[in-house]
Amino acid sequence: MSYSYFDLKTARELLPWVKEKLKMLKTAEINAQDALINGKKEYIRLYSIEVESILKEITDKGIIVRDVDMGLVDFPAVINDRPAYLCWKADEEDIMYWHYVEEGFRGRKRISPRDQILSYQ
């Protein structure tokens, strides 16, 4: 299922799945690097296909992977009646930040009760 935007509840429900997919991405990336170092060129293509497949699974749900190494992911949202992203990094326990589309990662703000995040309900 693809989402045009996420509310906080839906993004949080998908977070365990996203975490697992990011672990799989990291493993495939490490395997590809090891294959390159060890001269096993035939495996590099397989791992590259695996990476593409995992990224497609994530993006098919409407989730944006910004940085695999950081584990930085954005969930499109509507916050305070404007296009925005619920923003999560792999070292964070939960989705606790957001930013407007034009602000990027540096514009992250902590989610507060004052923020009006458009919900499906």
Side-chain angles (χ1 to χ4, degrees):
M1 175 177 210
S2 178
Y3 299 90
S4 54
Y5 72 91
F6 292 85
D7 58 15
L8 191 54
K9 179 181 180 280
T10 305
R12 283 180 168 155
E13 287 172 354
L14 284 169
L15 197 53
W17 179 84
V18 170
K19 288 178 182 181
E20 184 59 34
K21 292 298 174 184
L22 286 176
K23 284 180 192 173
M24 292 169 66
L25 270 176
K26 284 288 224 186
T27 300
E29 186 179 60
I30 289 167
N31 289 341
Q33 290 171 357
D34 288 346
L36 184 63
I37 290 168
N38 295 317
K40 297 181 179 181
K41 294 179 184 178
E42 64 276 11
Y43 291 106
I44 295 169
R45 180 169 159 71
L46 292 173
Y47 294 127
S48 295
I49 291 169
E50 185 179 356
V51 166
E52 287 177 32
S53 174
I54 295 166
L55 283 172
K56 184 175 178 349
E57 281 184 70
I58 297 169
T59 58
D60 280 354
K61 289 198 181 294
I63 302 165
I64 302 166
V65 178
R66 298 288 184 193
D67 188 314
V68 174
D69 291 331
M70 283 177 58
L72 181 60
V73 176
D74 280 342
F75 296 83
V78 178
I79 302 174
N80 303 324
D81 297 321
R82 291 177 53 193
Y85 296 108
L86 296 167
C87 186
W88 175 79
K89 264 183 15 168
D91 63 351
E92 297 169 349
E93 193 64 33
D94 191 12
I95 300 170
M96 301 178 293
Y97 297 94
W98 69 276
H99 59 85
Y100 289 120
V101 171
E102 68 275 7
E103 292 178 317
F105 180 77
R106 292 185 182 177
R108 288 185 0 142
K109 300 161 206 43
R110 193 158 183 98
I111 295 171
S112 80
R114 293 184 314 262
D115 296 317
Q116 296 175 1
I117 302 172
L118 188 61
S119 175
Y120 289 119
Q121 299 159 351

